[in-house]
Amino acid sequence: MVPAEGIPTVVAAAEIKNNDAAVEQPTLTEETAKKIVTQVKHYFGDANLNHDNYMRKVVGENDGWVDFATLSRFNRLRQLMGILPAAADEANKKTDRFGKNSNKKQQQQRPAPVPEAYVRLLATTVKDGVAETDEIEINEDATALKRKTEFVPSDAWFANTVHVKGLPYGVETSDLIDLLTEHFGKYGDVKLLRLRRNPKTKAFKGNFLVEFAASEDAEKTAKTEDLEYQGSKLEPALLPAYHDEKLAADEFIQPELRKPGGTYPSFEEWCTAHGKVPPTLKGDGKKGAAAAQSKSAEIEQIPGVLVRFTGVSGDVEFPALKEAFAAVGPVKF
């Protein structure tokens, strides 16, 4: 099982408090303990380090040793250990009709501090769950861990990855990565699954990348006809082929699709070269916020209304239009 992707929210070190007296000694179920160990091994694994710049920086310091206090600040591990209050979790799930967090007060709140009891719980859980054959080792006093071997970046992931599209835009559950990993595990050993997101809104685009351990499994999956997931028809393609198709169409290549070692323009450079204006508002601070508010006020968002527009060339595909209009609000069809 591939754990949650990406770089988790990290809480400041100062927020780890020695407040064990006020915290009931935490415990974990066997299933949750296994998930935590899997998640930690994932952070230190080759597949993750090939893409996770933050974790590469962390393992590149202190001779490779990463203390458990640092790991305890990773959002995914905090969630698995139950550090985030239930009320805060529910507030984070509340979204408006445009998929944004409707709880403005909650958005401004900082995550709950990490009690030392949970740091010790994490250390004990990982120490008990890591085998001698695993890639990571733990120091004698169980305060830190590191990779046994130095990480060497690899470009093999590119040929071993399948790009898949076809899921609903903006529809995402907390266990989506686990479910998709299990689903595609029928076709081979899945090393990593990454959801693609709208760079501006961070909404799930309905597309994702599945990295297999073997290129043969990737090729087999890409050729699979009638591939479906929970009623949605999926369109798989080998990432190199998908990349070349977009490149031939002179489209902007998002970072997660880029070929290792390739040279690509930034989005602003690409827009300038194509005579386009980047769909972002310039400015910062109060000036930028005022501009954003003014721009938003110009567009009246009414659910269920059909909008007719003109000026689009005939070679533009529907997914590109859908993503562009998603910056205003959810697009049904």
Side-chain angles (χ1 to χ4, degrees), residues 158 163-165 196 205 207 209 237-259 264-265 267 270 274 315-321 323:
F158 190 73
H163 181 277
V164 185
K165 58 183 179 179
R196 297 194 61 204
K205 298 172 62 173
N207 305 343
L209 299 166
L238 282 174
L239 179 56
Y242 185 76
H243 166 278
D244 293 346
E245 178 184 334
K246 293 182 72 68
L247 200 62
D250 201 20
E251 296 182 31
F252 177 70
I253 308 298
Q254 296 286 355
E256 67 270 20
L257 303 179
R258 294 175 181 176
K259 192 174 185 177
Y264 300 87
F267 187 53
W270 182 89
H274 290 76
D315 59 350
V316 177
E317 297 182 352
F318 171 71
L321 292 174
E323 179 177 349

Side-chain angles (χ1 to χ4, degrees), residues 1-2 47 160-161 181-182 184-193 210-218 220-221:
M1 178 184 72
V2 175
N160 297 358
T161 299
T181 299
E182 181 179 357
F184 281 87
K186 297 181 294 185
Y187 303 99
D189 180 14
V190 177
K191 303 298 293 183
L192 187 67
L193 193 143
V210 186
E211 180 184 338
F212 290 94
S215 59
E216 296 80 4
D217 293 332
K220 176 180 64 177
T221 303

Side-chain angles (χ1 to χ4, degrees), residues 7 17 39 45 106 143 214 216 304 326-327:
I7 304 173
K17 306 291 185 179
Q39 186 71 34
Q106 179 62 32
T143 57
E216 296 80 4

Side-chain angles (χ1 to χ4, degrees), residues 28-87:
L28 299 171
T29 64
E30 183 177 348
E31 179 182 1
T32 300
K34 289 181 179 179
K35 288 183 177 180
I36 288 176
V37 174
T38 299
Q39 186 71 34
V40 170
K41 290 194 291 187
H42 160 74
Y43 288 142
F44 287 85
D46 288 347
N48 179 63
L49 291 175
N50 266 322
H51 307 282
D52 192 336
N53 294 328
Y54 175 77
M55 196 62 193
R56 276 208 306 272
K57 176 179 179 295
V58 171
V59 300
E61 301 172 345
N62 301 319
D63 196 27
W65 289 103
V66 181
D67 58 73
F68 283 104
T70 297
L71 288 177
S72 72
R73 305 199 304 271
F74 286 10
N75 193 47
R76 175 61 173 164
L77 293 177
R78 288 163 57 89
Q79 291 173 344
L80 287 173
M81 290 189 292
I83 295 176
L84 295 180

Side-chain angles (χ1 to χ4, degrees), residues 272-292:
T272 300
H274 290 76
K276 301 178 182 294
V277 178
T280 54
L281 293 172
K282 299 297 182 181
D284 52 21
K286 294 183 179 180
K287 182 178 180 181

Side-chain angles (χ1 to χ4, degrees), residues 260-311:
T263 302
Y264 300 87
S266 67
F267 187 53
E268 289 73 17
E269 292 171 341
W270 182 89
C271 287
T272 300
H274 290 76
K276 301 178 182 294
V277 178
T280 54
L281 293 172
K282 299 297 182 181
D284 52 21
K286 294 183 179 180
K287 182 178 180 181
Q293 184 176 5
S294 174
K295 184 67 176 178
S296 176
E298 296 175 6
I299 304 175
E300 183 179 5
Q301 302 164 334
I302 306 175
V305 171
L306 296 177
V307 178
R308 180 179 181 274
F309 60 93
T310 58

